[in-house]
Amino acid sequence: MRATRFAWLLALWLAGCVTAPVTGPLPVEYTENWALSGRLGIQTDTQSLSGQIDWQHGRASDVLVLATPLGQTVARIERQGDEVTLEVPNQPLRRAPDAETLTREALGYPLPIAGLGWWIQAQRDPARPADLVRDASGRVVQIRQDGWTIDFLQYADHRPRKLALVRDKLELRLVIDRWRAE
């Protein structure tokens, strides 16, 4: 009886340590239309930036505004259907089929806007392969997808509040101060 109980406890403990692709239902319900505001930090080999982020997301559109810590807009990314525009003060309007291309051209590194829309909800983009790591309670603590490693550092109200995203020599830190499903 003791050996069986020990084997059962060992199996449960080991199951909590396993990293495997997710094929079943996602633990946090995906919300298609939402808005958030928070703070964003970007660290590269050559620069460190911080500021504010305001993002309204819907199935067919996104409006993402990046601002300085004092609130001055430094970039506005807007997606309408299959076109994405990037507006930066004192620069011509840029257009591309995706935000990653635009941010790579304008900033020198891609911001993973498409994946981030899923990741901020502790979910992987179901259209592409991903690995998830969960804690003992089943909460997602890490996602690896599209070359990014996303660590969930803190949750609030069953949603991620602090995230760290790393790819190559680029690190993004996001703190979500306000989340609103629409």
Side-chain angles (χ1 to χ4, degrees):
M1 180 72 163
R2 255 192 224 183
T4 304
R5 196 176 317 167
F6 176 75
W8 177 248
L9 289 173
L10 181 61
L12 286 174
W13 180 78
L14 288 173
C17 299
V18 172
T19 302
V22 171
T23 57
L26 300 169
V28 175
E29 185 177 325
Y30 178 75
T31 302
E32 193 165 83
N33 299 306
W34 48 263
L36 69 79
S37 60
R39 294 164 278 148
L40 179 68
I42 301 172
Q43 179 79 39
T44 68
D45 280 349
T46 58
Q47 62 182 347
S48 179
L49 305 168
S50 64
Q52 300 175 12
I53 180 172
D54 285 301
W55 189 355
Q56 290 183 295
H57 174 79
R59 180 189 315 185
S61 66
D62 282 288
V63 176
L64 191 132
V65 177
L66 302 174
T68 67
L70 297 176
Q72 182 181 8
T73 298
V74 293
R76 178 184 169 95
I77 300 168
E78 189 167 345
R79 176 181 64 90
Q80 291 295 326
D82 292 335
E83 182 181 66
V84 180
T85 59
L86 172 64
E87 188 177 339
V88 177
N90 304 318
Q91 292 186 18
L93 186 68
R94 296 176 189 232
R95 298 177 191 281
D98 61 74
E100 287 76 8
T101 300
L102 280 177
T103 56
R104 182 182 298 116
E105 290 173 1
L107 304 173
Y109 44 83
L111 296 179
I113 306 301
L116 191 57
W118 290 92
W119 303 335
I120 61 165
Q121 297 187 65
Q123 301 202 22
R124 78 315 188 222
D125 183 338
R128 295 184 303 281
D131 292 322
L132 274 72
V133 177
R134 298 176 188 275
D135 64 14
S137 68
R139 187 180 345 199
V140 175
V141 294
Q142 185 180 75
I143 296 175
R144 289 186 301 274
Q145 187 170 36
D146 298 335
W148 288 92
T149 299
I150 304 93
D151 289 311
F152 298 86
L153 307 174
Q154 183 182 31
Y155 278 78
D157 298 324
H158 306 291
R159 293 212 175 267
R161 182 172 187 287
K162 292 183 181 181
L163 296 85
L165 299 86
V166 177
R167 181 178 181 179
D168 302 323
K169 296 179 181 181
L170 175 62
E171 181 177 355
L172 308 174
R173 291 207 172 250
L174 177 63
V175 177
I176 300 170
D177 294 321
R178 190 171 40 116
W179 167 272
R180 184 177 74 246
E182 297 182 338

